[in-house]
């Protein structure tokens, strides 16, 4: 069987692209840090409601730390607790979250806040909220039939606003 020289070139090009793709995916997966959750903080996901700080979810003002507020969140079957989070603009916030049932996502649309919640693990992120607005929090990991209805709200408010309720 005779293969035309252009067909050989395209076969070689296609094989080289496949190999390059596999090398890039392999390097990014292992060297780039795409690994399962390596959180050092694990908990019994069946008793989340009994374990501090998840026994008191919500927004908590802290002092003597590198951040101003801690937001403790618990995800479970198609909801977040708390449903609404209110933080003053310019605050440095530590988000601490876990889930009671299956894998959930936690993404604050339009910000750099995005992490995965896995049963038995605690996910954390420290960030500064620097733009006033109301942001939708969505679950970006399919978690079951009610997934599309799993959302919450982050309100970043002006610190001078009298409607703050901390």
């Amino acid at each position: 069987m005779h293969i035309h020289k252009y067909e050989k070139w395209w076969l070689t090009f296609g094989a080289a692209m496949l190999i390059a793709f596999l090398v890039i995916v392999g390097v990014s997966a292992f060297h780039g840090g795409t690994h399962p959750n390596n959180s050092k903080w694990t908990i019994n996901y069946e008793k989340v409601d009994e374990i501090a700080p998840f026994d008191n979810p919500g927004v908590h003002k802290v002092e003597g730390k590198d951040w101003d507020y801690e937001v403790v969140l618990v995800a479970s079957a198609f909801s977040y607790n708390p449903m609404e989070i209110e933080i003053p603009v310019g605050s440095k916030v530590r988000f601490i979250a876990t889930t009671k049932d299956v894998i959930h996502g936690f993404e604050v649309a339009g910000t750099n806040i995005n992490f995965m919640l896995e049963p038995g693990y605690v996910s954390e992120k420290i960030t500064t909220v620097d733009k006033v607005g109301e942001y939708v929090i969505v679950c970006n990991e399919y978690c079951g039939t009610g997934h599309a209805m799993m959302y919450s709200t982050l309100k970043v408010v002006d610190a001078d606003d009298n409607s703050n309720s901390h």
Side-chain angles (χ1 to χ4, degrees):
M1 176 169 102
H2 175 69
I3 298 178
H4 193 273
K5 72 176 181 176
Y6 292 126
E7 286 183 84
K8 287 181 188 175
W9 288 356
W10 279 110
L11 285 171
T12 303
F13 176 75
M17 288 295 102
L18 179 60
I19 291 168
F21 172 74
L22 292 174
V23 167
I24 290 169
V25 169
V27 167
S28 66
F30 294 105
H31 179 52
T34 307
H35 303 287
N37 192 330
N38 61 355
S39 174
K40 304 290 186 248
W41 187 358
T42 60
I43 62 171
N44 181 346
Y45 67 91
E46 294 175 338
K47 297 183 179 186
V48 168
D49 294 329
E50 303 168 19
I51 301 170
F54 302 105
D55 57 349
N56 186 22
V59 179
H60 307 285
K61 177 108 174 101
V62 295
E63 298 198 14
K65 305 221 176 177
D66 290 340
W67 50 87
D68 305 311
Y69 290 89
E70 285 185 350
V71 176
V72 179
L73 291 138
V74 178
S76 59
F78 319 126
S79 68
Y80 294 106
N81 183 13
M83 281 294 297
E84 187 176 289
I85 302 163
E86 190 172 299
I87 302 287
V89 68
S91 299
K92 193 168 186 179
V93 183
R94 177 182 180 215
F95 288 89
I96 309 167
T98 192
T99 176
K100 295 198 269 187
D101 47 25
V102 299
I103 293 175
H104 293 283
F106 183 85
E107 177 183 1
V108 181
T111 71
N112 67 343
I113 305 165
N114 184 5
F115 46 89
M116 183 185 294
L117 308 177
E118 298 176 69
Y121 292 94
V122 176
S123 297
E124 300 177 80
K125 177 155 183 78
I126 298 173
T127 190
T128 301
V129 290
D130 53 6
K131 188 175 174 190
V132 173
E134 194 167 302
Y135 300 89
V136 176
I137 300 170
V138 296
C139 177
N140 57 4
E141 294 285 337
Y142 182 74
C143 55
T145 56
H147 169 73
M149 300 306 295
M150 187 169 177
Y151 64 91
S152 186
T153 307
L154 170 64
K155 291 182 178 179
V156 180
V157 297
D158 188 357
D160 297 330
D161 186 3
N162 291 334
S163 66
N164 266 351
S165 56
H166 296 293

